[in-house]
Amino acid sequence: MPIAAVVLVGINLRPFITGIGPLASSIHRHTGLGLQGMALLTLVPMLLMGILAFAAPALESAMGARRAVLFALAAICGGCALRLLAGSGAALVATAALIGAGVALVQAVFPGMIKRAFPRHTGPVMGLYSAMLMGGGALGAMVSPVLAEASGSWTAGLACFALPALLAVLVARVALPADARTRPGRRTTQALLARPRTWLLMACFGLVNGGYSSVVAWLAPAYQAQGWSPAASAGLLATLAAGQALAALALPAIARKQADRRPWLWLTLGMQALGFTGLALAPGWAPYALAAILGAGLGGWFALSMGVALDHLPDPAQAGALTALMQGGGFILAALPPWLVAALHELSASYVPGWSWHLACVGLVAGLSVRFSPDSYGPAMAPPHSRPAPSAILWQSSQGSAPRTRPDHHRRNSNEH
């Protein structure tokens, strides 16, 4: 798989969300969507990213990873193009659902393809993919208000992202490799869901990415409420996304020689804590620095957590299925915070309660992530002694060989560490 395919796929997964915030006032004026209605533009796609991720292993088994990614990229392209005609709130939410479904399928399937294509460089390439994903967020925040002002149409500012999505479809059609012989299916999903570690990964991923979804939805409106222009608030959101991209690219590369990623995870959580504290207590103090620090924390966590999930299982298809489930449960959780922040704002006329909520979530994840010791990966994914069948499912060869059990040193203990 050429690196260009990784770049183009990743860069198309966030502009449709980050382009909304800078145009919030125009969208409200022309569609009548209030705060909670605007929250749906983030909630609905995030929810779909979660729900469809659970079905992704079965879809990949039926369609193949390559065809699934091509189909998903086409859905993203079509959904963005339809926004040119979305003159109502309901139509805008419908396009968000279509694009979100496409993004969900890509996010669920693509990490496994990366692990299969780059077995010796999975961490750095996942970092590049994550960086491009966040860089796409910066692109959305910067381009949408500029094109909306130049064209005199906020719908054009959102629909323009159909063009890079179309380019991704064309490149992916040529560049994506053929599928592996073995594919994850429903039995793999069932076996993984029987592991407490899968649910722990979901919880941590969801709590952190809930902060991302809230910031993307409300950072620009929060500063517009303080008198910032749409263009200035878009620059703030672009700074956040740039910080995400740089950290997502740099941290996995720096940490690649260390099996234990927990110190790096805690570093990113510390940056998130500093960013949310600043937004809650002193939003006027160096706002661009706060946005960059918060973005680095969010982007670094995303890339590192994807690597942690992939490291839990040696087989690319099964490791990809685990990351799909982590994102599935995680994005369902991450869909709710933007609505919660909107509801708290309507009660208090302030964004402070919402930022404070996310600060508490950061503290909770810092405690939960203690359990992500590399020594715990094998025992955490080993089957209960009373259920030997899933062992064969989780540890079968990626070349379709007969099922095998793991070595004795991996079966020392089936309990979570």
Side-chain angles (χ1 to χ4, degrees):
M1 182 195 305
I3 289 294
V6 177
V7 171
L8 279 172
V9 169
I11 210 167
N12 278 282
L13 303 184
R14 288 296 181 271
F16 80 103
I17 289 180
T18 57
I20 296 289
L23 300 178
S25 59
S26 296
I27 294 172
H28 169 70
R29 188 164 57 251
H30 288 92
T31 66
L33 285 175
L35 284 179
Q36 294 193 29
M38 293 285 292
L40 290 176
L41 299 176
T42 302
L43 187 153
V44 169
M46 285 284 188
L47 195 60
L48 284 171
M49 288 180 203
I51 294 171
L52 292 182
F54 284 100
L59 290 172
E60 182 179 348
S61 180
M63 301 173 62
R66 184 178 185 277
R67 186 180 298 175
V69 169
L70 290 173
F71 177 81
L73 290 172
I76 294 170
C77 180
C80 289
L82 287 173
R83 286 189 154 179
L84 189 62
L85 308 175
S88 68
L92 197 56
V93 172
T95 61
L98 176 59
I99 302 168
V103 170
L105 192 52
V106 173
Q107 291 182 158
V109 172
F110 205 61
M113 296 181 73
I114 289 176
K115 179 159 183 165
R116 185 167 64 247
F118 303 96
R120 296 183 180 179
H121 305 283
T122 300
V125 177
M126 277 302 303
L128 175 65
Y129 164 72
S130 301
M132 292 302 99
L133 190 149
M134 307 305 175
L139 179 70
M142 294 177 64
V143 170
S144 62
V146 172
L147 287 184
E149 184 175 355
S151 64
S153 169
W154 62 269
T155 59
L158 296 177
C160 67
F161 301 113
L163 296 177
L166 178 60
L167 179 60
V169 172
L170 297 176
V171 171
R173 182 178 176 84
V174 176
L176 292 186
D179 293 323
R181 291 186 206 171
T182 58
R183 301 172 183 171
R186 185 172 62 183
R187 289 189 304 162
T188 301
T189 301
Q190 292 172 342
L192 290 171
L193 289 175
R195 306 295 181 271
R197 177 57 58 91
T198 303
W199 296 90
L200 178 63
L201 288 166
M202 288 181 191
C204 292
F205 190 86
L207 290 170
V208 170
N209 281 278
Y212 168 76
S213 58
S214 288
V215 169
V216 166
W218 301 121
L219 183 65
Y223 278 88
Q224 288 176 20
Q226 299 178 32
W228 286 47
S229 68
S233 64
L236 196 62
L237 201 55
T239 301
L240 174 98
Q244 289 178 294
L246 289 173
L249 184 62
L251 290 182
I254 295 171
R256 70 183 185 278
K257 294 183 179 179
Q258 296 178 239
D260 191 349
R261 291 189 173 91
R262 289 176 297 173
W264 299 99
L265 291 174
W266 288 325
L267 173 64
T268 65
L269 291 169
M271 290 188 283
Q272 292 174 47
L274 179 59
F276 282 121
T277 299
L279 290 178
L281 302 181
W285 178 83
Y288 285 98
L290 287 176
I293 292 169
L294 180 55
L298 292 167
W301 167 272
F302 183 92
L304 290 167
S305 67
M306 295 289 282
V308 167
L310 288 171
D311 285 349
H312 271 74
L313 290 164
D315 178 72
Q318 294 156 5
L322 179 60
T323 63
L325 293 176
M326 177 183 76
Q327 293 178 86
F331 279 122
I332 289 174
L333 287 177
L336 300 176
W339 179 87
L340 176 63
V341 171
L344 291 172
H345 182 275
E346 291 188 351
L347 290 174
S348 65
S350 171
Y351 288 99
V352 172
W355 304 141
S356 300
W357 159 260
H358 286 300
L359 181 60
C361 290
V362 168
L364 177 59
V365 173
L368 292 174
S369 59
V370 170
R371 302 176 70 183
F372 293 140
S373 164
D375 292 337
S376 74
Y377 294 169
M381 303 314 295
H385 292 303
S386 60
R387 297 179 61 189
S391 175
I393 297 170
L394 287 175
W395 294 97
Q396 62 185 336
S397 168
S398 63
Q399 300 302 315
S401 60
R404 59 187 175 87
T405 56
R406 302 195 68 208
D408 287 341
H409 73 275
H410 283 299
R411 291 189 280 110
R412 293 190 304 254
N413 183 3
S414 63
N415 296 323
E416 283 281 277
H417 283 208

